[in-house]
Amino acid sequence: MRVLLVDDDPAIAETVRRTLVSEGWVVDIATDGLTGLQKALSEPFDVVVLDIMMPGRNGYEVVRDLRKADVWTPVLMLTAKDGEYDQADAFDFGADDYLTKPYSAVVLVARLRALARRGAPERPAVMTAGSLTLDPAAHLVRRDDTQISLTRREFALLEFLMRNKGQAMTKTQIVDSVWDVNYAGDENVVEVYISYLRKRIDAPFGCKSIQTVRGVGYRLDPDGGVGG
């Protein structure tokens, strides 16, 4: 397995390198984000291990730029930043896993093996359905060039539907994924928010992206409901 390790701390980079080489893996090292980005864009790797705070490009920018360039090599963020929002940002920008320093070498190796087995399927950070786009990291929704303002709940509902576009989702599935785990209200609240969404992302544009599937629930048209 070939690994790209991007870390500006020589001591940590060497420690990680020795751990991975002991597993029989080939390890390339970049000591700044820009060099790491260039290597990841131009050379084939099975997995990338990426620090966050680095010169040239920080780790968030590197993984974001990789995904924008349609490079889907699995990325594990290995960093001292241990805040929950740091982790959320990393995943929103396109990272696949997150491990904080100090780390367990056994866990690091196991997670990298898991990422390598998973391979590099396409998983864009910005989701699209025809002319409709949703960017979780920037919290932006657009229909063509028009930005659409949504409440947090509307945004979460649309994100869930876009992540499962083309599939019929039940009200129960939607409530379990979009509402708080302690929500004990009526599932018909989904109908209310579906109506809100349709008024914002469809009606002004003559589209019908959110479709009702009788007896099941709702599905989002992969083509964005253009001309529907």
Side-chain angles (χ1 to χ4, degrees):
M1 187 161 79
R2 189 174 181 209
V3 179
L4 174 61
L5 170 61
V6 190
D7 197 310
D8 66 329
D9 186 318
I12 291 178
E14 179 60 17
T15 299
V16 174
R17 187 193 70 80
R18 288 180 181 178
T19 298
L20 302 185
V21 168
S22 71
E23 296 293 320
W25 300 346
V26 176
V27 181
D28 280 16
I29 295 178
T31 56
D32 66 85
L34 184 57
T35 302
L37 175 62
Q38 292 170 342
K39 279 180 171 288
L41 288 173
S42 60
E43 303 176 40
F45 294 95
D46 294 290
V47 69
V48 175
V49 179
L50 189 62
D51 192 11
I52 292 179
M53 302 308 295
M54 296 182 294
R57 284 279 200 287
N58 66 46
Y60 297 136
E61 293 171 327
V62 172
V63 71
R64 178 201 63 193
D65 291 347
L66 286 176
R67 300 318 184 214
K68 283 186 176 180
D70 293 336
V71 174
W72 307 109
T73 307
V75 172
L76 180 143
M77 309 298 280
L78 183 63
T79 175
K81 293 174 72 66
D82 60 358
E84 60 183 21
Y85 289 105
D86 299 317
Q87 297 185 44
D89 286 343
F91 289 123
D92 281 343
F93 280 118
D96 300 275
D97 202 353
Y98 196 102
L99 189 60
T100 56
K101 304 171 184 175
Y103 63 93
S104 160
V106 173
V107 172
L108 173 63
V109 168
R111 289 191 175 186
L112 291 180
R113 282 199 179 114
L115 289 177
R117 285 196 300 269
R118 192 180 306 166
E122 183 174 339
R123 49 199 185 284
V126 177
M127 291 173 279
T128 62
S131 62
L132 185 65
T133 62
L134 182 146
D135 184 339
H139 206 83
L140 288 176
V141 175
R142 294 181 184 275
R143 173 76 78 172
D144 290 322
D145 295 327
T146 303
Q147 184 171 326
I148 302 171
S149 178
L150 300 179
T151 66
R152 291 182 64 182
R153 185 79 69 195
E154 292 165 353
F155 188 94
L157 174 56
L158 179 59
E159 180 177 356
F160 176 75
L161 292 174
M162 291 191 76
R163 288 191 186 280
N164 296 279
K165 65 183 178 182
Q167 302 178 53
M169 310 307 296
T170 67
K171 290 181 182 178
T172 299
Q173 289 174 310
I174 293 172
V175 167
D176 288 347
S177 299
V178 176
W179 270 258
D180 186 271
V181 292
N182 297 316
Y183 177 77
D186 194 326
E187 288 186 350
N188 287 331
V189 69
V190 174
E191 295 180 17
V192 176
Y193 276 86
I194 288 290
S195 176
Y196 292 161
L197 265 186
R198 283 171 168 161
K199 291 176 181 177
R200 288 163 174 74
I201 68 171
D202 283 345
F205 307 95
C207 300
K208 293 183 179 179
S209 62
I210 302 178
Q211 303 167 344
T212 300
V213 182
R214 293 188 180 278
V216 181
Y218 302 95
R219 69 184 287 271
L220 187 85
D221 179 11
D223 296 322
V226 176

